[in-house]
């Protein structure tokens, strides 16, 4: 069965980025010239997904508005003959079919995904975290969908992290597979205490999940931090049926974290068609003054 839908949870409080995120969703913070969430939506669209389900919460309507048609703005741009700008806004509001569901309380990522169960229905689906950016030649979601066509089972995207950072991630212990960059999941642990895992494969914010995850999530009790953890449910799912970890090609940025956000801005600015060269020149200049 093909993967047609992508759930993008954006209901978190963004406490790591306060006070910037007091009144603005972290997913709307700008990376060069567009909000983080637009890069993620564009990745999903470029990968052939047909529908996006935003899991939102109070104070996140700017995200829905960003992808909606803005009559007043359209009217003003036409009056001022700003054709190109008008076309760009048109493009954003016509990217893909989007629906939203509300997560009433921030009970964790697992709970956020469970909130989308009625719209996803009984089919495999993609999950992309609203603050996780992946910069790559082939969209990360596309790479995973290609593997899914081959294995037909759940897939988590992973990246290698230094051993002293594993405690910050969900870690997969897996067995190398015939397929390149692919591991069969043996065990998973959320934020393992230093020295308790031999694996450096950290789960990042891209998943393809079988719909059984919803039934598992409905029975998952709050774990680490009092939240319903997706990793706990993934572990249960991997005990029932095969699951794969895929070391994607590309660079991931945690744009919900201040340092990750800065890294993303520099990286995307350097590769920007209009600004890249000038920005590189500027960086070289300021490095000289250090
Ligand atoms: P994070 O843990 O990065 O989000 O969740 P957060 O809770 O907003 O962050 P901090 O730690 O307080 O800064 C990853 C993704 O899952 C969503 C977030 O919006 C983010 O896109 N999320 C998280 C939910 O939708 N609901 C939740 O209850 C928790």
């Amino acid at each position: 069965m093909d993967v047609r839908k992508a759930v993008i949870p954006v209901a978190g409080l963004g406490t790591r980025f306060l006070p910037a995120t007091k009144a603005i969703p972290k997913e709307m913070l700008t990376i060069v010239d567009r909000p983080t969430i637009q890069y993620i939506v564009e990745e999903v669209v470029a990968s052939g997904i047909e529908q996006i389900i935003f899991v939102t919460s109070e104070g996140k309507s700017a995200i829905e508005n960003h992808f909606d048609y803005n009559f007043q703005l359209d009217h003003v741009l036409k009056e001022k003959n700003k054709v190109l700008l008008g076309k760009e806004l048109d493009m954003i509001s016509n990217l893909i079919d989007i629906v939203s569901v509300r997560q009433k309380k921030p009970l964790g990522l697992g709970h956020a995904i469970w909130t989308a169960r009625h719209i996803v229905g009984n089919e495999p689906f993609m999950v992309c975290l609203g603050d996780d950016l992946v910069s790559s030649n082939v969209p990360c979601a596309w790479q995973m969908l290609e593997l899914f066509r081959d294995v037909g089972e759940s897939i988590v995207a992973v990246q290698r992290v230094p051993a002293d950072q594993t405690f910050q991630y969900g870690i997969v212990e897996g067995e190398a597979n015939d397929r390149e960059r692919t591991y069969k999941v043996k065990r998973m642990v959320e934020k393992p205490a230093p020295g308790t895992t031999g694996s450096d494969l950290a789960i990042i914010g891209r998943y393809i999940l079988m719909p059984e995850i919803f039934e598992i999530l409905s029975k998952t009790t709050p774990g680490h931090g009092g939240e319903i953890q997706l990793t706990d449910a993934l572990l249960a799912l991997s005990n029932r049926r095969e699951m794969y970890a895929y070391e994607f090609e590309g660079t991931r940025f945690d744009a919900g974290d201040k340092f990750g956000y800065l890294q993303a801005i520099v990286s995307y600015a350097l590769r920007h068609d209009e600004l890249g060269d000038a920005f590189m020149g500027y960086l070289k200049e300021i490095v000289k003054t250090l």
Side-chain angles (χ1 to χ4, degrees):
M1 191 185 237
D2 250 11
V3 177
R4 301 183 304 134
K5 302 178 182 183
V7 175
I8 307 188
V10 292
L13 295 174
T15 53
R16 281 171 297 161
F17 229 130
L18 282 168
T21 48
K22 188 177 171 206
I24 297 169
K26 64 175 164 181
E27 297 82 3
M28 287 301 292
L29 296 178
T30 312
I31 308 281
V32 188
D33 56 4
R34 65 193 80 168
T36 303
I37 192 71
Q38 190 177 327
Y39 291 96
I40 294 162
V41 167
E42 285 176 354
E43 175 191 328
V44 163
V45 171
S47 305
I49 292 286
E50 294 166 20
Q51 185 181 55
I52 284 175
I53 302 149
F54 281 138
V55 180
T56 69
S57 58
E58 198 199 349
K60 298 279 182 157
S61 54
I63 297 172
E64 288 150 300
N65 293 343
H66 182 72
F67 295 99
D68 203 351
Y69 174 65
N70 185 326
F71 173 79
Q72 198 184 2
L73 207 49
D74 191 38
H75 183 71
V76 170
L77 291 178
K78 274 188 184 132
E79 244 178 22
K80 296 193 168 172
N81 210 18
K82 298 200 167 178
V83 182
L84 278 181
L85 256 184
K87 278 196 175 154
E88 187 168 355
L89 295 196
D90 232 32
M91 181 281 285
I92 295 169
S93 55
N94 287 309
L95 273 171
I96 190 168
D97 176 29
I98 295 179
V99 292
S100 301
V101 285
R102 278 264 190 154
Q103 185 189 25
K104 290 182 183 143
K105 286 185 188 165
L107 296 176
L109 177 57
H111 180 262
I113 292 169
W114 179 78
T115 307
R117 67 199 178 284
H118 295 307
I119 303 179
V120 172
N122 191 26
E123 57 183 275
F125 62 104
M126 178 123 219
V127 174
C128 298
L129 299 194
D131 57 354
D132 239 26
L133 279 173
V134 181
S135 156
S136 54
N137 293 333
V138 178
C140 181
W142 176 288
Q143 297 176 43
M144 294 175 73
L145 288 165
E146 235 176 20
L147 176 62
F148 180 79
R149 277 177 212 115
D150 206 8
V151 298
E153 292 287 353
S154 301
I155 303 167
V156 294
V158 291
Q159 68 176 7
R160 293 193 180 276
V161 295
D164 62 354
Q165 284 175 28
T166 51
F167 74 95
Q168 296 173 20
Y169 295 88
I171 298 293
V172 169
E173 293 172 6
E175 196 172 79
N177 197 268
D178 291 346
R179 296 171 193 88
E180 239 185 301
R181 299 175 162 268
T182 308
Y183 304 83
K184 199 153 162 205
V185 174
K186 292 278 161 220
R187 205 171 84 93
M188 253 175 202
V189 53
E190 179 68 15
K191 303 191 168 73
T196 59
T197 178
S199 172
D200 62 352
L201 294 174
I203 303 175
I204 65 123
R206 298 285 182 279
Y207 315 77
I208 293 177
L209 300 175
M210 302 307 278
E212 263 175 84
I213 195 79
F214 292 124
E215 181 233 313
I216 295 172
L217 281 168
S218 70
K219 293 182 194 142
T220 306
T221 45
H224 195 275
E227 296 188 340
I228 297 181
Q229 295 290 345
L230 179 61
T231 317
D232 294 341
L234 288 176
L235 178 61
L237 184 62
S238 71
N239 287 332
R240 283 195 195 179
R241 52 193 300 161
E242 288 182 356
M243 182 179 287
Y244 293 87
Y246 174 67
E247 210 182 330
F248 64 97
E249 283 183 67
T251 310
R252 173 255 184 181
F253 300 95
D254 179 1
D257 165 80
K258 288 176 198 171
F259 191 66
Y261 178 72
L262 284 178
Q263 288 174 310
I265 291 185
V266 172
S267 173
Y268 279 75
L270 286 173
R271 285 182 300 99
H272 193 277
D273 285 346
E274 286 163 32
L275 306 171
D277 290 345
F279 189 59
M280 173 65 95
Y282 172 69
L283 286 186
K284 282 182 178 158
E285 281 308 308
I286 52 172
V287 165
K288 274 191 221 154
T289 66
L290 295 179

PDB file of all heavy atoms in Angstrom, residues 9-17 26-27 55 60 103 105-109 111-112 128-132 227 254 256, ligand 1:
ATOM      1  N   PRO A   9       3.328  17.032  13.454  1.00  0.00           N
ATOM      2  CA  PRO A   9       2.940  17.566  14.768  1.00  0.00           C
ATOM      3  C   PRO A   9       3.604  18.923  15.001  1.00  0.00           C
ATOM      4  O   PRO A   9       4.818  19.047  14.865  1.00  0.00           O
ATOM      5  CB  PRO A   9       3.465  16.529  15.758  1.00  0.00           C
ATOM      6  CG  PRO A   9       4.054  15.419  14.947  1.00  0.00           C
ATOM      7  CD  PRO A   9       4.301  15.939  13.574  1.00  0.00           C
ATOM      8  N   VAL A  10       2.800  19.905  15.328  1.00  0.00           N
ATOM      9  CA  VAL A  10       3.335  21.257  15.591  1.00  0.00           C
ATOM     10  C   VAL A  10       2.716  21.836  16.873  1.00  0.00           C
ATOM     11  O   VAL A  10       2.608  23.036  17.035  1.00  0.00           O
ATOM     12  CB  VAL A  10       3.070  22.219  14.398  1.00  0.00           C
ATOM     13  CG1 VAL A  10       3.877  21.802  13.180  1.00  0.00           C
ATOM     14  CG2 VAL A  10       1.588  22.292  14.038  1.00  0.00           C
ATOM     15  N   ALA A  11       2.283  20.935  17.773  1.00  0.00           N
ATOM     16  CA  ALA A  11       1.531  21.398  18.946  1.00  0.00           C
ATOM     17  C   ALA A  11       2.397  21.625  20.183  1.00  0.00           C
ATOM     18  O   ALA A  11       1.889  22.015  21.224  1.00  0.00           O
ATOM     19  CB  ALA A  11       0.431  20.389  19.267  1.00  0.00           C
ATOM     20  N   GLY A  12       3.708  21.394  20.070  1.00  0.00           N
ATOM     21  CA  GLY A  12       4.589  21.528  21.240  1.00  0.00           C
ATOM     22  C   GLY A  12       4.713  22.972  21.705  1.00  0.00           C
ATOM     23  O   GLY A  12       4.405  23.911  20.969  1.00  0.00           O
ATOM     24  N   LEU A  13       5.182  23.140  22.927  1.00  0.00           N
ATOM     25  CA  LEU A  13       5.250  24.479  23.530  1.00  0.00           C
ATOM     26  C   LEU A  13       6.498  25.260  23.135  1.00  0.00           C
ATOM     27  O   LEU A  13       6.559  26.479  23.302  1.00  0.00           O
ATOM     28  CB  LEU A  13       5.189  24.363  25.056  1.00  0.00           C
ATOM     29  CG  LEU A  13       3.871  23.812  25.615  1.00  0.00           C
ATOM     30  CD1 LEU A  13       3.988  23.603  27.123  1.00  0.00           C
ATOM     31  CD2 LEU A  13       2.721  24.755  25.295  1.00  0.00           C
ATOM     32  N   GLY A  14       7.511  24.562  22.632  1.00  0.00           N
ATOM     33  CA  GLY A  14       8.730  25.251  22.205  1.00  0.00           C
ATOM     34  C   GLY A  14       9.448  25.940  23.343  1.00  0.00           C
ATOM     35  O   GLY A  14       9.977  27.039  23.181  1.00  0.00           O
ATOM     36  N   THR A  15       9.515  25.287  24.502  1.00  0.00           N
ATOM     37  CA  THR A  15      10.093  25.952  25.679  1.00  0.00           C
ATOM     38  C   THR A  15      11.598  26.218  25.523  1.00  0.00           C
ATOM     39  O   THR A  15      12.117  27.163  26.119  1.00  0.00           O
ATOM     40  CB  THR A  15       9.866  25.126  26.954  1.00  0.00           C
ATOM     41  OG1 THR A  15      10.344  23.798  26.716  1.00  0.00           O
ATOM     42  CG2 THR A  15       8.404  25.070  27.329  1.00  0.00           C
ATOM     43  N   ARG A  16      12.281  25.395  24.698  1.00  0.00           N
ATOM     44  CA  ARG A  16      13.728  25.603  24.533  1.00  0.00           C
ATOM     45  C   ARG A  16      14.030  26.929  23.842  1.00  0.00           C
ATOM     46  O   ARG A  16      15.144  27.398  23.863  1.00  0.00           O
ATOM     47  CB  ARG A  16      14.334  24.460  23.704  1.00  0.00           C
ATOM     48  CG  ARG A  16      14.572  23.188  24.482  1.00  0.00           C
ATOM     49  CD  ARG A  16      14.968  22.071  23.552  1.00  0.00           C
ATOM     50  NE  ARG A  16      13.910  21.751  22.599  1.00  0.00           N
ATOM     51  CZ  ARG A  16      14.096  21.092  21.463  1.00  0.00           C
ATOM     52  NH1 ARG A  16      15.295  20.707  21.118  1.00  0.00           N
ATOM     53  NH2 ARG A  16      13.074  20.832  20.667  1.00  0.00           N
ATOM     54  N   PHE A  17      13.024  27.482  23.195  1.00  0.00           N
ATOM     55  CA  PHE A  17      13.258  28.676  22.388  1.00  0.00           C
ATOM     56  C   PHE A  17      12.572  29.904  22.969  1.00  0.00           C
ATOM     57  O   PHE A  17      12.407  30.925  22.282  1.00  0.00           O
ATOM     58  CB  PHE A  17      12.777  28.439  20.957  1.00  0.00           C
ATOM     59  CG  PHE A  17      13.781  28.810  19.917  1.00  0.00           C
ATOM     60  CD1 PHE A  17      14.112  27.931  18.902  1.00  0.00           C
ATOM     61  CD2 PHE A  17      14.411  30.044  19.948  1.00  0.00           C
ATOM     62  CE1 PHE A  17      15.036  28.260  17.929  1.00  0.00           C
ATOM     63  CE2 PHE A  17      15.351  30.398  18.985  1.00  0.00           C
ATOM     64  CZ  PHE A  17      15.662  29.498  17.973  1.00  0.00           C
ATOM     65  N   LYS A  26       7.341  28.053  17.117  1.00  0.00           N
ATOM     66  CA  LYS A  26       8.750  27.886  16.694  1.00  0.00           C
ATOM     67  C   LYS A  26       8.825  27.449  15.237  1.00  0.00           C
ATOM     68  O   LYS A  26       9.791  27.746  14.543  1.00  0.00           O
ATOM     69  CB  LYS A  26       9.481  26.889  17.590  1.00  0.00           C
ATOM     70  CG  LYS A  26       8.958  25.474  17.531  1.00  0.00           C
ATOM     71  CD  LYS A  26       9.806  24.537  18.356  1.00  0.00           C
ATOM     72  CE  LYS A  26       9.050  23.239  18.588  1.00  0.00           C
ATOM     73  NZ  LYS A  26       9.787  22.292  19.398  1.00  0.00           N
ATOM     74  N   GLU A  27       7.787  26.754  14.775  1.00  0.00           N
ATOM     75  CA  GLU A  27       7.768  26.289  13.379  1.00  0.00           C
ATOM     76  C   GLU A  27       7.654  27.450  12.395  1.00  0.00           C
ATOM     77  O   GLU A  27       7.860  27.285  11.201  1.00  0.00           O
ATOM     78  CB  GLU A  27       6.588  25.323  13.161  1.00  0.00           C
ATOM     79  CG  GLU A  27       6.650  24.039  13.974  1.00  0.00           C
ATOM     80  CD  GLU A  27       6.141  24.189  15.414  1.00  0.00           C
ATOM     81  OE1 GLU A  27       5.664  25.294  15.798  1.00  0.00           O
ATOM     82  OE2 GLU A  27       6.229  23.192  16.158  1.00  0.00           O
ATOM     83  N   VAL A  55      -0.962  18.579  13.383  1.00  0.00           N
ATOM     84  CA  VAL A  55      -1.493  18.459  14.746  1.00  0.00           C
ATOM     85  C   VAL A  55      -1.134  19.765  15.442  1.00  0.00           C
ATOM     86  O   VAL A  55       0.046  20.031  15.690  1.00  0.00           O
ATOM     87  CB  VAL A  55      -0.899  17.249  15.494  1.00  0.00           C
ATOM     88  CG1 VAL A  55      -1.481  17.164  16.895  1.00  0.00           C
ATOM     89  CG2 VAL A  55      -1.142  15.968  14.717  1.00  0.00           C
ATOM     90  N   LYS A  60      -1.228  28.340  17.565  1.00  0.00           N
ATOM     91  CA  LYS A  60      -0.460  27.891  16.403  1.00  0.00           C
ATOM     92  C   LYS A  60      -1.148  28.222  15.084  1.00  0.00           C
ATOM     93  O   LYS A  60      -0.793  27.680  14.033  1.00  0.00           O
ATOM     94  CB  LYS A  60      -0.241  26.372  16.496  1.00  0.00           C
ATOM     95  CG  LYS A  60       0.559  25.934  17.697  1.00  0.00           C
ATOM     96  CD  LYS A  60       2.053  26.102  17.448  1.00  0.00           C
ATOM     97  CE  LYS A  60       2.846  25.622  18.644  1.00  0.00           C
ATOM     98  NZ  LYS A  60       4.208  25.261  18.300  1.00  0.00           N
ATOM     99  N   GLN A 103      -4.436  19.091  19.269  1.00  0.00           N
ATOM    100  CA  GLN A 103      -4.024  18.359  20.465  1.00  0.00           C
ATOM    101  C   GLN A 103      -4.321  19.299  21.623  1.00  0.00           C
ATOM    102  O   GLN A 103      -3.730  20.372  21.723  1.00  0.00           O
ATOM    103  CB  GLN A 103      -2.527  18.037  20.410  1.00  0.00           C
ATOM    104  CG  GLN A 103      -2.063  17.189  21.565  1.00  0.00           C
ATOM    105  CD  GLN A 103      -0.537  17.058  21.625  1.00  0.00           C
ATOM    106  OE1 GLN A 103       0.195  17.905  21.125  1.00  0.00           O
ATOM    107  NE2 GLN A 103      -0.070  16.015  22.283  1.00  0.00           N
ATOM    108  N   LYS A 105      -3.929  19.128  24.895  1.00  0.00           N
ATOM    109  CA  LYS A 105      -2.875  19.342  25.905  1.00  0.00           C
ATOM    110  C   LYS A 105      -1.567  18.789  25.350  1.00  0.00           C
ATOM    111  O   LYS A 105      -1.591  17.760  24.672  1.00  0.00           O
ATOM    112  CB  LYS A 105      -3.203  18.569  27.191  1.00  0.00           C
ATOM    113  CG  LYS A 105      -4.312  19.172  27.997  1.00  0.00           C
ATOM    114  CD  LYS A 105      -4.459  18.390  29.286  1.00  0.00           C
ATOM    115  CE  LYS A 105      -5.701  18.845  30.026  1.00  0.00           C
ATOM    116  NZ  LYS A 105      -6.087  17.899  31.076  1.00  0.00           N
ATOM    117  N   PRO A 106      -0.432  19.442  25.655  1.00  0.00           N
ATOM    118  CA  PRO A 106       0.848  18.945  25.124  1.00  0.00           C
ATOM    119  C   PRO A 106       1.316  17.701  25.873  1.00  0.00           C
ATOM    120  O   PRO A 106       2.204  17.758  26.709  1.00  0.00           O
ATOM    121  CB  PRO A 106       1.798  20.129  25.333  1.00  0.00           C
ATOM    122  CG  PRO A 106       1.224  20.891  26.467  1.00  0.00           C
ATOM    123  CD  PRO A 106      -0.260  20.656  26.489  1.00  0.00           C
ATOM    124  N   LEU A 107       0.677  16.565  25.572  1.00  0.00           N
ATOM    125  CA  LEU A 107       0.964  15.338  26.320  1.00  0.00           C
ATOM    126  C   LEU A 107       2.064  14.499  25.689  1.00  0.00           C
ATOM    127  O   LEU A 107       2.227  13.336  26.014  1.00  0.00           O
ATOM    128  CB  LEU A 107      -0.324  14.509  26.457  1.00  0.00           C
ATOM    129  CG  LEU A 107      -1.447  15.173  27.263  1.00  0.00           C
ATOM    130  CD1 LEU A 107      -2.702  14.315  27.266  1.00  0.00           C
ATOM    131  CD2 LEU A 107      -0.987  15.450  28.693  1.00  0.00           C
ATOM    132  N   GLY A 108       2.773  15.087  24.749  1.00  0.00           N
ATOM    133  CA  GLY A 108       3.900  14.371  24.156  1.00  0.00           C
ATOM    134  C   GLY A 108       3.695  14.046  22.691  1.00  0.00           C
ATOM    135  O   GLY A 108       2.577  14.103  22.171  1.00  0.00           O
ATOM    136  N   LEU A 109       4.810  13.696  22.047  1.00  0.00           N
ATOM    137  CA  LEU A 109       4.784  13.420  20.609  1.00  0.00           C
ATOM    138  C   LEU A 109       3.894  12.217  20.277  1.00  0.00           C
ATOM    139  O   LEU A 109       3.148  12.236  19.296  1.00  0.00           O
ATOM    140  CB  LEU A 109       6.232  13.176  20.134  1.00  0.00           C
ATOM    141  CG  LEU A 109       6.419  12.807  18.682  1.00  0.00           C
ATOM    142  CD1 LEU A 109       5.825  13.857  17.758  1.00  0.00           C
ATOM    143  CD2 LEU A 109       7.905  12.612  18.385  1.00  0.00           C
ATOM    144  N   HIS A 111       1.299  11.158  21.852  1.00  0.00           N
ATOM    145  CA  HIS A 111      -0.100  11.590  21.965  1.00  0.00           C
ATOM    146  C   HIS A 111      -0.494  12.459  20.771  1.00  0.00           C
ATOM    147  O   HIS A 111      -1.602  12.348  20.243  1.00  0.00           O
ATOM    148  CB  HIS A 111      -0.303  12.345  23.285  1.00  0.00           C
ATOM    149  CG  HIS A 111      -1.698  12.821  23.501  1.00  0.00           C
ATOM    150  ND1 HIS A 111      -2.074  14.115  23.224  1.00  0.00           N
ATOM    151  CD2 HIS A 111      -2.818  12.182  23.922  1.00  0.00           C
ATOM    152  CE1 HIS A 111      -3.366  14.249  23.483  1.00  0.00           C
ATOM    153  NE2 HIS A 111      -3.834  13.093  23.913  1.00  0.00           N
ATOM    154  N   ALA A 112       0.429  13.322  20.329  1.00  0.00           N
ATOM    155  CA  ALA A 112       0.138  14.199  19.178  1.00  0.00           C
ATOM    156  C   ALA A 112      -0.182  13.354  17.940  1.00  0.00           C
ATOM    157  O   ALA A 112      -1.147  13.620  17.212  1.00  0.00           O
ATOM    158  CB  ALA A 112       1.323  15.123  18.906  1.00  0.00           C
ATOM    159  N   CYS A 128       6.513  13.713   9.999  1.00  0.00           N
ATOM    160  CA  CYS A 128       7.666  14.632   9.905  1.00  0.00           C
ATOM    161  C   CYS A 128       7.529  15.633  11.040  1.00  0.00           C
ATOM    162  O   CYS A 128       6.501  16.320  11.133  1.00  0.00           O
ATOM    163  CB  CYS A 128       7.653  15.414   8.590  1.00  0.00           C
ATOM    164  SG  CYS A 128       7.786  14.383   7.141  1.00  0.00           S
ATOM    165  N   LEU A 129       8.517  15.739  11.896  1.00  0.00           N
ATOM    166  CA  LEU A 129       8.417  16.706  12.996  1.00  0.00           C
ATOM    167  C   LEU A 129       8.548  18.132  12.462  1.00  0.00           C
ATOM    168  O   LEU A 129       9.379  18.410  11.593  1.00  0.00           O
ATOM    169  CB  LEU A 129       9.481  16.434  14.053  1.00  0.00           C
ATOM    170  CG  LEU A 129       9.410  15.062  14.722  1.00  0.00           C
ATOM    171  CD1 LEU A 129      10.274  15.040  15.975  1.00  0.00           C
ATOM    172  CD2 LEU A 129       7.982  14.677  15.062  1.00  0.00           C
ATOM    173  N   GLY A 130       7.725  19.007  13.022  1.00  0.00           N
ATOM    174  CA  GLY A 130       7.617  20.365  12.502  1.00  0.00           C
ATOM    175  C   GLY A 130       8.817  21.255  12.758  1.00  0.00           C
ATOM    176  O   GLY A 130       8.877  22.388  12.272  1.00  0.00           O
ATOM    177  N   ASP A 131       9.794  20.755  13.541  1.00  0.00           N
ATOM    178  CA  ASP A 131      10.979  21.586  13.796  1.00  0.00           C
ATOM    179  C   ASP A 131      12.258  20.865  13.386  1.00  0.00           C
ATOM    180  O   ASP A 131      13.349  21.270  13.758  1.00  0.00           O
ATOM    181  CB  ASP A 131      11.047  21.991  15.280  1.00  0.00           C
ATOM    182  CG  ASP A 131      11.055  20.790  16.207  1.00  0.00           C
ATOM    183  OD1 ASP A 131      10.904  19.652  15.727  1.00  0.00           O
ATOM    184  OD2 ASP A 131      11.206  20.988  17.432  1.00  0.00           O
ATOM    185  N   ASP A 132      12.128  19.784  12.623  1.00  0.00           N
ATOM    186  CA  ASP A 132      13.299  19.018  12.191  1.00  0.00           C
ATOM    187  C   ASP A 132      13.516  19.222  10.700  1.00  0.00           C
ATOM    188  O   ASP A 132      12.713  18.776   9.882  1.00  0.00           O
ATOM    189  CB  ASP A 132      13.041  17.521  12.455  1.00  0.00           C
ATOM    190  CG  ASP A 132      14.070  16.929  13.374  1.00  0.00           C
ATOM    191  OD1 ASP A 132      14.649  17.681  14.172  1.00  0.00           O
ATOM    192  OD2 ASP A 132      14.313  15.713  13.284  1.00  0.00           O
ATOM    193  N   GLU A 227       5.342  12.388  29.534  1.00  0.00           N
ATOM    194  CA  GLU A 227       4.683  12.498  28.226  1.00  0.00           C
ATOM    195  C   GLU A 227       4.502  11.119  27.598  1.00  0.00           C
ATOM    196  O   GLU A 227       5.222  10.175  27.926  1.00  0.00           O
ATOM    197  CB  GLU A 227       5.556  13.356  27.287  1.00  0.00           C
ATOM    198  CG  GLU A 227       5.716  14.792  27.765  1.00  0.00           C
ATOM    199  CD  GLU A 227       6.427  15.670  26.732  1.00  0.00           C
ATOM    200  OE1 GLU A 227       7.106  15.114  25.848  1.00  0.00           O
ATOM    201  OE2 GLU A 227       6.282  16.897  26.823  1.00  0.00           O
ATOM    202  N   ASP A 254      18.153  20.495  14.035  1.00  0.00           N
ATOM    203  CA  ASP A 254      17.069  20.613  15.011  1.00  0.00           C
ATOM    204  C   ASP A 254      16.750  22.100  15.148  1.00  0.00           C
ATOM    205  O   ASP A 254      17.347  22.807  15.958  1.00  0.00           O
ATOM    206  CB  ASP A 254      17.505  20.015  16.358  1.00  0.00           C
ATOM    207  CG  ASP A 254      16.414  20.143  17.411  1.00  0.00           C
ATOM    208  OD1 ASP A 254      15.320  20.680  17.075  1.00  0.00           O
ATOM    209  OD2 ASP A 254      16.636  19.725  18.553  1.00  0.00           O
ATOM    210  N   GLY A 256      14.354  23.505  16.437  1.00  0.00           N
ATOM    211  CA  GLY A 256      13.637  23.847  17.665  1.00  0.00           C
ATOM    212  C   GLY A 256      14.605  24.140  18.800  1.00  0.00           C
ATOM    213  O   GLY A 256      14.202  24.391  19.933  1.00  0.00           O
TER     214      GLY A 256
HETATM  215  P1  LIG B   1       9.735  18.763  20.765  1.00  0.00           P
HETATM  216  O1  LIG B   1       9.976  18.046  22.014  1.00  0.00           O
HETATM  217  O2  LIG B   1      10.887  19.245  19.975  1.00  0.00           O
HETATM  218  O3  LIG B   1       8.750  19.998  20.940  1.00  0.00           O
HETATM  219  O4  LIG B   1       8.771  17.900  19.848  1.00  0.00           O
HETATM  220  P2  LIG B   1       8.428  20.927  22.143  1.00  0.00           P
HETATM  221  O5  LIG B   1       7.829  20.176  23.264  1.00  0.00           O
HETATM  222  O6  LIG B   1       7.636  22.020  21.542  1.00  0.00           O
HETATM  223  O7  LIG B   1       9.888  21.471  22.474  1.00  0.00           O
HETATM  224  P3  LIG B   1      10.535  22.065  23.782  1.00  0.00           P
HETATM  225  O8  LIG B   1      11.359  20.937  24.317  1.00  0.00           O
HETATM  226  O9  LIG B   1       9.442  22.533  24.712  1.00  0.00           O
HETATM  227  O10 LIG B   1      11.367  23.198  23.293  1.00  0.00           O
HETATM  228  C1  LIG B   1       8.998  17.619  18.473  1.00  0.00           C
HETATM  229  C2  LIG B   1       7.771  17.970  17.642  1.00  0.00           C
HETATM  230  O11 LIG B   1       6.585  17.416  18.191  1.00  0.00           O
HETATM  231  C3  LIG B   1       5.618  18.409  18.443  1.00  0.00           C
HETATM  232  C4  LIG B   1       6.379  19.721  18.487  1.00  0.00           C
HETATM  233  O12 LIG B   1       5.573  20.812  18.053  1.00  0.00           O
HETATM  234  C5  LIG B   1       7.560  19.469  17.549  1.00  0.00           C
HETATM  235  O13 LIG B   1       7.243  19.795  16.205  1.00  0.00           O
HETATM  236  N1  LIG B   1       4.897  18.101  19.693  1.00  0.00           N
HETATM  237  C6  LIG B   1       5.583  17.842  20.833  1.00  0.00           C
HETATM  238  C7  LIG B   1       3.532  18.068  19.682  1.00  0.00           C
HETATM  239  O14 LIG B   1       2.884  18.297  18.630  1.00  0.00           O
HETATM  240  N2  LIG B   1       2.871  17.798  20.845  1.00  0.00           N
HETATM  241  C8  LIG B   1       3.522  17.542  22.008  1.00  0.00           C
HETATM  242  O15 LIG B   1       2.851  17.294  23.039  1.00  0.00           O
HETATM  243  C9  LIG B   1       4.914  17.564  21.997  1.00  0.00           C
END
